Amino acid sequence: MSSSDQPEPSNSATEQPLLAPSASYSDQYPAPISYTHSPRPIRDLPFLLLFLLLTLSTFAIGFLSLARRNPDKTLVPHFTYNPSLSSCVLSRSLPSSPFLTSSTLLEFLIPTLLITLLLSPPITFSLLFLLRHFAKHLIYASIPFFILTPCFLNAYWFAACLVSAGCHKAFPLTYRIVVLVFVFLLIGVILWIIVSNWHRVELTIQIVQASAAALAENISLLLVLPLLLLLYALVYFTPVVVFLVFATWNGKVVPRAHKGFYKCEWKEDRWVQWYFALAVIMLLWSAATMIEAQVYVISGTVAQWYFTPEVSRPKRSLRSSLRNAFGPSFGTVSFSGMVMGAVRLVRIVLDAAKQERELRGCIALILKCCADFLLSAFNFVNKFTINFAAITGEGYCSSAKMTYELLKRNLLSAVFVETVSTRLLAGIVFVISSLYAILVYVILRATSSLNTELYLVAALTWVLLMVVLCYFVHVLDNVIDAVYICYAIDRDRGDVSKDHIHQVYVQLPKNRNQVSSLV
């Protein structure tokens, strides 16, 4: 979105689509776009069958690797080469394993993490309440802490290192000054981002507040989605990781010549490396599919609330979305997960190659530009596709095309304009987590005998609370996207399902880059 575009206020809550649908589009999709209730037809069946087939193969081979594992894997250091037998034999005496004692650190770390985990739901619901009713006060009060908190932490570690003899010797003064200045430069960049986007803060506050109200109306999402993620971790992710570990136990101890001597080494079976490739691919695909499934459930639940009249409430909206996501639309979810998983994998490979400086020369630069273009194209196509599929029940390719046509007809951007909302919410989460970690440090400093371990405990509690609150921000971001698509559908039909949503989203600048190609 260019900075020259200005929000256009609307004199009426009812808006008509800015451009009439083309004749070919009307022939292909004669019915108006709306939420499709159950029963829905099965979509993208080939990807559903492929996902199930590879999943069954991964688990079947994994159970086989468990049954055929060789316990000699853990005893390889105790094998010696026997020249008379021309093989490796196990020594008779095995050293005993060292006795592990519990440390003072664990005595304080585990209870602190458990307390943080128990307090994270009340903190999350309190944050949602504040964003729903006092978003303007909370955001404006938090913005100064976006700068003050990192400045305080940066100055504190520098001062603490000055008075600490160990830190003073291990970390020279020159390096400390360089790090101190570098962090302050990063804080300056954050300040510049805040100032350059200040004119969009007021609209962002309204969008966040409207989306927080939508999430509060569907509060069960915050209860079910973490359980869904935990179920995936227990039923799918953890077993596959266990299979990968025990797959390496399939092999035997063999002698190998080394500088005129024989030593005993572990040799894995040939099929293990192929199973590793299959299992890692399925871990990436299943994780991406689970992320897309959660987006599908959020979008379907919010859409049912959005298109339900104000006088009534949707019934079993979450259950219906779960049934659709893991039922007739699971092929679509798997397809979307495969696309996004492939995009993320390619990005990881490109970043790793860039860090290792393996891509050099003109040809490498051309390949990198082509890869970046393809990744941007995939992100463009996938943006809002799964949200639209959750609302209409269409397949992946059909949803991508219809979403593009929907946004193009109404001059709305396929790249959501309010990325500032994500940055503001991330800043609030950082401030809350930092203040909590500082509070933990102060309490443990006064009540425990820990010394430098206090910093580790405080850092881990900060990480844990950050993960929980960032997941909340992820859910709220998906609610914002879902409401945006519902608003676009309303505009396309000339309808107003939620008047307070329209009053906020109508202020979004129009994507005028498409006018010349459409008129």
Side-chain angles (χ1 to χ4, degrees):
M1 182 188 67
S2 63
S3 59
S4 61
D5 294 337
Q6 298 297 330
E8 295 184 355
S10 175
N11 297 327
S12 173
T14 303
E15 304 166 69
Q16 299 295 331
L18 298 182
L19 296 173
S22 61
S24 60
Y25 186 85
S26 300
D27 294 338
Q28 188 174 0
Y29 307 108
I33 301 174
S34 61
Y35 183 83
T36 303
H37 294 273
S38 300
R40 292 181 174 182
I42 298 177
R43 303 290 187 182
D44 297 308
L45 183 59
F47 295 95
L48 169 61
L49 296 178
L50 179 62
F51 182 87
L52 294 179
L53 177 62
L54 294 180
T55 296
L56 291 176
S57 301
T58 303
F59 275 78
I61 301 175
F63 282 117
L64 182 64
S65 67
L66 281 174
R68 297 182 65 248
R69 69 184 185 275
N70 188 347
D72 292 343
K73 164 71 175 179
T74 59
L75 304 175
V76 173
H78 310 303
F79 274 84
T80 56
Y81 178 70
N82 191 327
S84 60
L85 299 176
S86 298
S87 62
C88 294
V89 295
L90 184 63
S91 302
R92 292 185 178 180
S93 59
L94 299 178
S96 57
S97 59
F99 180 74
L100 301 177
T101 58
S102 59
S103 62
T104 307
L105 173 62
L106 294 179
E107 294 179 2
F108 288 95
L109 177 61
I110 295 177
T112 303
L113 293 180
L114 288 177
I115 293 174
T116 303
L117 196 61
L118 292 176
L119 290 178
S120 57
I123 295 175
T124 301
F125 289 118
S126 300
L127 179 59
L128 176 62
F129 174 82
L130 292 175
L131 288 175
R132 182 183 184 183
H133 298 285
F134 307 101
K136 185 173 183 178
H137 304 81
L138 176 64
I139 291 177
Y140 278 120
S142 301
I143 288 178
F145 288 95
F146 295 175
I147 305 300
L148 296 178
T149 302
C151 285
F152 168 77
L153 295 176
N154 193 32
Y156 180 82
W157 80 262
F158 186 81
C161 196
L162 283 177
V163 299
S164 174
C167 179
H168 190 76
K169 294 179 180 179
F171 204 9
L173 179 61
T174 304
Y175 293 146
R176 278 178 276 153
I177 294 176
V178 170
V179 174
L180 181 73
V181 173
F182 178 75
V183 173
F184 275 125
L185 287 177
L186 292 180
I187 297 173
V189 173
I190 297 174
L191 179 61
W192 175 81
I193 293 175
I194 294 174
V195 173
S196 61
N197 291 280
W198 188 259
H199 63 284
R200 302 170 65 184
V201 171
E202 191 65 34
L203 176 58
T204 301
I205 291 173
Q206 297 180 43
I207 291 176
V208 170
Q209 189 166 16
S211 301
L215 181 56
E217 292 293 333
N218 300 275
I219 195 67
S220 55
L221 286 170
L222 291 178
L223 302 175
V224 174
L225 293 179
L227 294 178
L228 188 63
L229 195 62
L230 179 62
L231 183 64
Y232 162 74
L234 294 177
V235 175
Y236 198 107
F237 191 87
T238 302
V240 174
V241 172
V242 172
F243 293 153
L244 285 173
V245 172
F246 282 100
T248 61
W249 288 36
N250 286 262
K252 58 184 178 180
V253 182
V254 297
R256 184 167 297 177
H258 182 70
K259 296 181 180 181
F261 297 94
Y262 283 94
K263 64 177 183 178
C264 296
E265 295 183 353
W266 179 257
K267 182 181 179 181
E268 294 179 351
D269 293 339
R270 293 183 177 180
W271 61 268
V272 173
Q273 58 182 347
W274 298 104
Y275 178 70
F276 255 76
L278 172 64
V280 170
I281 289 174
M282 290 311 299
L283 281 178
L284 294 175
W285 190 3
S286 63
T289 300
M290 179 53 60
I291 294 174
E292 297 301 305
Q294 294 195 32
V295 176
Y296 188 103
V297 172
I298 293 171
S299 302
T301 305
V302 171
Q304 292 181 68
W305 163 81
Y306 183 92
F307 292 113
T308 300
E310 296 286 354
V311 294
S312 60
R313 294 180 59 86
K315 296 181 179 179
R316 300 177 180 179
S317 56
L318 180 56
R319 183 185 304 179
S320 174
S321 298
L322 287 170
R323 183 171 60 250
N324 291 328
F326 296 96
S329 293
F330 190 69
T332 303
V333 174
S334 301
F335 193 180
S336 180
M338 183 182 68
V339 172
M340 296 309 298
V343 169
R344 292 187 179 98
L345 180 61
V346 172
R347 285 194 182 278
I348 292 173
V349 172
L350 288 178
D351 292 340
K354 181 188 292 187
Q355 292 178 0
E356 296 177 5
R357 296 185 178 181
E358 294 180 356
L359 296 177
R360 296 179 180 178
C362 182
I363 297 178
L365 180 61
I366 294 175
L367 291 176
K368 183 179 181 301
C369 292
C370 293
D372 289 339
F373 173 77
L374 291 175
L375 293 178
S376 300
F378 274 118
N379 284 332
F380 177 81
V381 170
N382 197 73
K383 186 66 174 177
F384 298 124
T385 297
I386 197 67
N387 305 94
F388 192 90
I391 297 172
T392 63
E394 293 288 335
Y396 183 84
C397 295
S398 177
S399 296
K401 181 179 180 180
M402 294 176 68
T403 304
Y404 174 75
E405 294 287 345
L406 171 69
L407 298 178
K408 183 175 71 173
R409 287 200 307 274
N410 294 277
L411 302 182
L412 298 174
S413 175
V415 180
F416 194 62
V417 293
E418 279 307 316
T419 55
V420 180
S421 61
T422 303
R423 297 170 185 172
L424 283 177
L425 291 173
I428 293 174
V429 166
F430 172 78
V431 171
I432 293 176
S433 302
S434 299
L435 294 178
Y436 180 83
I438 293 173
L439 179 62
V440 169
Y441 174 82
V442 171
I443 294 176
L444 291 180
R445 184 82 174 181
T447 59
S448 70
S449 58
L450 297 177
N451 295 317
T452 57
E453 295 87 354
L454 279 173
Y455 298 105
L456 177 61
V457 176
L460 291 178
T461 55
W462 178 84
V463 170
L464 179 59
L465 188 58
M466 274 287 291
V467 169
V468 174
L469 294 181
C470 283
Y471 183 76
F472 164 75
V473 171
H474 167 73
V475 173
L476 188 57
D477 279 340
N478 287 313
V479 171
I480 293 175
D481 290 345
V483 172
Y484 185 61
I485 288 295
C486 293
Y487 164 74
I489 293 175
D490 258 1
R491 281 176 59 91
D492 197 61
R493 300 187 306 180
D495 195 6
V496 177
S497 298
K498 291 287 186 288
D499 183 65
H500 66 282
I501 298 291
H502 277 250
Q503 292 177 6
V504 173
Y505 278 75
V506 73
Q507 303 177 53
L508 291 175
K510 307 299 182 296
N511 186 10
R512 300 189 180 280
N513 295 330
Q514 297 172 344
V515 173
S516 60
S517 62
L518 293 174
V519 177

